[in-house]
């Protein structure tokens, strides 16, 4: 009890500014090593501007240091995030001037050095990211007319946002941080956010009082164009490793690559707002990111780790100068002399660098970048189950299947489409949403954590299996424990979420193909595909967390690929398995039962193992 009284007394006699300073000191000692702090201080001091005795960083300085590509336009968004995170954990102080203490807070959050600070780990970090990106606008709480995604709101500096079409800018603060205005929405349980960081400072009450100004987030929205530009940057950043220069990936941003980045970014955007253009709400953000984009912000870690490694640290100098600033900026991100290993050996018809980065938002990049090998491509090996099996069955590691196609019309146009319709149950659901795509193109995929094999009575796969849609709307459907029919491969086709095909129709049962509630079917000719989403669920994969309606996409397959997740060892094992099968096949072909070759050939022909002279199949009595 005495401690509680002491806390109350301390809270009345300390300011949030003082607590922010004390907390920055705790961050410095608990989250970084002395050597890392030395590097950080050197970098900050060398590049900082000085005004009225205060050292700080401008937006231009931050973007130049991080080598943010101008063509993507995310510089103002990154700066807005930094000025909010710099005030952590006191939102009333945002936007902050990027002093050394503020930048230290930013690096703590961006590099995930918060193990001793955040109670809930990544969940708290995502919440901070939402607040740092959000704009409070009461008009956003109503749904406007449908239109194409977009209205840019670019923050220019720490004191203002250049907002289009009348978005309010209050004096001295970025409008994006005013999510504390009066509103009628429910309150978030944000009082726990980072309380552990203040317990040792005897300042819990001060923090709670300040948090009262930041507990309503449901009227806040992330502007569409702001998030699109950030998504395009994160797609470029996705393969970035610790102390690797961003210039290595940013230099190749051609117009063709930018077009692909926009297409993928739009697919991801529509997973947040599939039917309206009201900005990205906290509920949508907090639902979609953990489920479909768990690794979305991972690349910010190596990006901001550049603050902890100064190439200028060993230089003997008394004070920073313009020459030293230029030297530091030119040496911080050198392009290594070592050859650059491509992220993929070669692009496929579906998988390119943009799709690869999109996959890394929900599958670990360490299993994808420089680890994918093309096992099967329908355009090269042919669209048949036989060629598919020949290419994938000997791969003893996880794999990713990608299929793209064009939606079919409701009424079949030819005999092949009518044959497909006859095999399927009557279509009860409409097509899936198209987002802002003008075409009928769809891209679906699946991840298998186990090797492929032919299935007869039991399916393959495990709880790590994934079913996903990449275009026109990004979403991941996780495996369910209710049903374990994760994947099948047979002469009847390839399925995910469907039960294994019956060898013969059972009396009293429908002759139609069985479709799971959330499932993907590729028919026996690999000509058509069907993705079904029944919102009621109950199958091998969970239904959508955002789209609360059922749909079914029937499409003609344009491209089909399977990529193996593995390195040289896995590839060598597959080559060895192929070589073994070839030797066995050759041995069977050269089988000799005796010295009378003609008699042996006649015997083999009668057994159906060798064609007779008149090229008819052996073994027939007719």
């Amino acid at each position: 009890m005495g401690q509680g009284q002491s806390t109350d007394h301390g809270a009345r006699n300390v300011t949030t500014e003082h607590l922010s300073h004390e907390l920055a000191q705790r961050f410095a000692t608990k989250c970084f090593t002395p050597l890392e702090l030395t590097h950080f201080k050197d970098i900050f001091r060398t590049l900082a501007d000085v005004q009225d005795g205060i050292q700080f960083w401008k937006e231009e300085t931050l973007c130049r240091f991080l080598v943010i590509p101008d063509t993507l336009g995310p510089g103002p968004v990154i700066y807005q995030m930094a000025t909010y995170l710099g005030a952590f954990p006191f939102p009333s102080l945002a936007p902050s001037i990027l002093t050394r203490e503020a930048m230290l807070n930013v690096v703590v959050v961006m590099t995930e050095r918060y193990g001793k600070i955040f109670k809930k780990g990544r969940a708290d970090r995502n919440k901070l990211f939402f607040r740092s990106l959000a704009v409070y606008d009461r008009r956003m709480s109503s749904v406007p007319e449908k239109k194409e995604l977009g209205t840019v709101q670019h923050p220019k500096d720490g004191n203002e946002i250049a907002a289009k079409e009348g978005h309010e800018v209050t004096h001295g603060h970025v409008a994006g941080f005013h999510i504390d205005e009066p509103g009628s929405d429910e309150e978030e349980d944000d009082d726990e956010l980072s309380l552990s960081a203040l317990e040792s400072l005897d300042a819990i009450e001060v923090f709670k009082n300040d948090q009262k100004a930041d507990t309503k987030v449901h009227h806040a929205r992330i502007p569409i164009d702001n998030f699109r530009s950030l998504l395009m940057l994160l797609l470029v950043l996705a393969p970035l490793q610790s102390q690797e220069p961003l210039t290595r990936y940013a230099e190749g941003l051609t117009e063709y690559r930018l077009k692909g980045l926009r297409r993928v970014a739009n697919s991801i955007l529509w997973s947040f707002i599939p039917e309206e253009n009201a900005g990205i709400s906290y509920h949508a953000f907090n639902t979609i990111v953990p489920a479909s984009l768990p690794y979305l912000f991972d690349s910010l870690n190596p990006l901001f780790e550049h603050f902890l490694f100064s190439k200028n640290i060993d230089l003997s100098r008394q004070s920073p100068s313009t020459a030293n600033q230029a030297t530091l900026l030119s040496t911080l991100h050198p392009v290594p002399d070592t050859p650059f290993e491509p992220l993929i050996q070669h692009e496929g018809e579906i998988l390119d660098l943009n799709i690869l980065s999109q996959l890394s938002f929900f599958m670990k990049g360490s299993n994808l970048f420089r680890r994918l090998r093309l096992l099967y491509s329908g355009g090269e090996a042919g669209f048949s189950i036989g060629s598919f099996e020949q290419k994938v069955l000997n791969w003893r590691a996880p794999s990713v299947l990608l299929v793209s196609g064009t939606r079919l019309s409701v009424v079949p146009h030819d005999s092949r489409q009518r044959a497909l319709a006859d095999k399927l149950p009557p279509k009860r659901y409409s097509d899936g949403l198209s987002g802002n795509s003008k075409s009928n193109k769809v891209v679906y995929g699946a991840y298998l954590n186990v090797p492929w094999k032919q299935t007869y009575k039991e399916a393959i796969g495990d709880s790590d299996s994934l079913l996903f849609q990449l275009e026109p709307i990004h979403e991941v459907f996780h495996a369910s424990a209710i049903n374990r029919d994760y994947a099948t491969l047979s002469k009847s086709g390839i399925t995910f979420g469907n039960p294994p095909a019956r060898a013969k129709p059972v009396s009293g049962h429908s002759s139609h193909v069985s479709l799971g509630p959330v499932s993907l079917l590729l028919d026996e000719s690999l000509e058509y595909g069907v993705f079904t989403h029944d919102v009621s669920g109950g199958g091998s994969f969970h239904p959508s967390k955002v789209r609360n309606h059922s749909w079914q996409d029937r499409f003609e397959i344009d491209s089909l690929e399977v990529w193996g997740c593995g390195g040289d060892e896995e590839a060598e094992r597959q080559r060895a398995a192929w070589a073994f099968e070839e030797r066995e096949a050759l041995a069977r072909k050269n089988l000799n039962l005796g010295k009378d070759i003609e008699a042996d050939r006649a015997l083999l022909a009668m057994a159906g193992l060798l064609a007779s002279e008149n090229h008819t199949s052996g073994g027939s009595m007719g």
Side-chain angles (χ1 to χ4, degrees), residues 68 123 252 606 617:
I68 303 297
M606 292 177 64
S617 175

Side-chain angles (χ1 to χ4, degrees), residues 250-262:
E251 287 177 347
L253 295 180
T254 62
E255 186 57 38
Y256 176 79
R257 178 76 195 279
L258 289 173
K259 183 179 179 180
L261 287 170
R262 291 189 194 98

Side-chain angles (χ1 to χ4, degrees), residues 72 228-240 246 249 253 257 260-266 268 296 299 343 353-361 369:
L72 300 179
R228 180 190 287 111
S229 64
L230 178 62
L231 284 174
M232 292 173 66
L233 173 66
L234 294 176
L235 287 166
V236 173
L237 280 176
L240 189 68
L246 177 57
Y249 305 107
L253 295 180
R257 178 76 195 279
L261 287 170
R262 291 189 194 98
R263 186 188 72 251
V264 172
N266 281 333
I268 297 175
L296 175 64
S299 56
L343 298 175
L353 292 178
N354 303 320
I355 297 294
L356 181 63
S357 294
Q358 185 180 5
L359 292 175
S360 74
F361 287 168
F369 298 116

Side-chain angles (χ1 to χ4, degrees), residues 351-619:
L351 185 71
D352 58 13
L353 292 178
N354 303 320
I355 297 294
L356 181 63
S357 294
Q358 185 180 5
L359 292 175
S360 74
F361 287 168
F362 59 92
M363 290 188 278
K364 273 293 186 181
S366 57
N367 296 328
L368 299 175
F369 298 116
R370 304 180 180 90
R371 296 280 293 174
L372 288 186
R373 295 173 180 268
L374 182 61
L375 304 181
Y376 167 80
S377 171
E380 296 177 3
F383 290 90
S384 71
I385 294 295
S387 60
F388 183 95
E389 291 177 342
Q390 183 182 13
K391 296 294 185 180
V392 306
L393 284 185
N394 288 321
W395 182 260
R396 303 300 177 185
S399 59
V400 178
L401 178 144
L402 300 174
V403 58
S404 67
T406 305
R407 287 189 180 119
L408 300 174
S409 60
V410 178
V411 179
H413 283 330
D414 53 39
S415 59
R416 294 175 304 164
Q417 294 184 15
R418 283 193 293 271
L420 173 70
D422 291 339
K423 288 187 297 185
L424 299 175
K427 186 174 182 180
R428 298 182 296 155
Y429 308 131
S430 60
D431 290 345
L433 297 171
S434 298
N436 62 347
S437 173
K438 303 294 191 238
S439 69
N440 281 319
K441 180 181 178 181
V442 293
V443 178
Y444 288 100
Y447 168 78
L448 271 186
N449 195 44
V450 299
W452 287 87
K453 68 177 183 179
Q454 291 177 328
T455 57
Y456 299 99
K457 294 183 179 180
E458 295 183 356
I460 58 176
D462 58 19
S463 58
D464 291 326
S465 303
L466 296 174
L467 192 58
F468 52 84
Q469 182 181 16
L470 299 181
E471 191 177 339
I473 298 176
H474 173 104
E475 189 161 5
V476 178
F477 308 93
H478 293 266
S480 167
I482 298 176
N483 190 309
R484 300 185 182 277
D485 294 330
Y486 298 120
T488 67
L489 171 60
S490 68
K491 298 302 180 182
S492 300
I494 304 168
T495 72
F496 299 89
N498 290 338
R502 293 187 295 268
K504 296 181 180 179
V506 179
S507 177
H509 287 74
S510 171
S511 60
H512 292 141
V513 175
S514 297
L515 300 178
V518 180
S519 61
L520 175 64
L521 164 70
L522 308 181
D523 72 350
E524 68 277 5
S525 63
L526 301 185
E527 185 177 10
Y528 297 107
V530 180
F531 182 86
T532 303
H533 177 269
D534 187 337
V535 71
S536 61
S540 303
F541 295 93
H542 292 291
S544 172
K545 291 183 175 295
V546 176
R547 290 178 272 180
N548 57 353
H549 63 275
S550 300
W551 77 86
Q552 185 180 86
D553 282 334
R554 299 183 180 187
F555 56 92
E556 184 174 6
I557 296 176
D558 298 326
S559 301
L560 177 62
E561 299 173 353
V562 177
W563 295 79
C565 305
D568 294 336
E569 183 178 351
E570 289 81 3
E572 183 58 36
R573 287 178 181 176
Q574 188 184 40
R575 283 192 292 268
W578 282 340
F580 175 79
E581 289 183 355
E582 289 178 2
R583 290 195 301 269
E584 289 294 302
L586 184 62
R588 288 192 297 269
K589 183 178 180 180
N590 295 330
L591 181 63
N592 191 354
L593 299 180
K595 296 182 179 180
D596 190 343
I597 298 178
E598 292 300 326
D600 292 343
R601 290 181 62 87
L603 181 63
L604 291 173
M606 292 177 64
L609 299 178
L610 187 69
S612 61
E613 292 184 0
N614 58 3
H615 302 290
T616 60
S617 175

Side-chain angles (χ1 to χ4, degrees), residues 23 26-27 88-89 116-118 194-201:
L23 188 58
R26 299 295 176 94
F27 285 171
F88 174 78
K116 297 181 181 179
I117 302 170
F118 288 175
S194 310
L195 285 179
S196 57
L198 297 174
E199 288 173 351
S200 60
L201 295 181

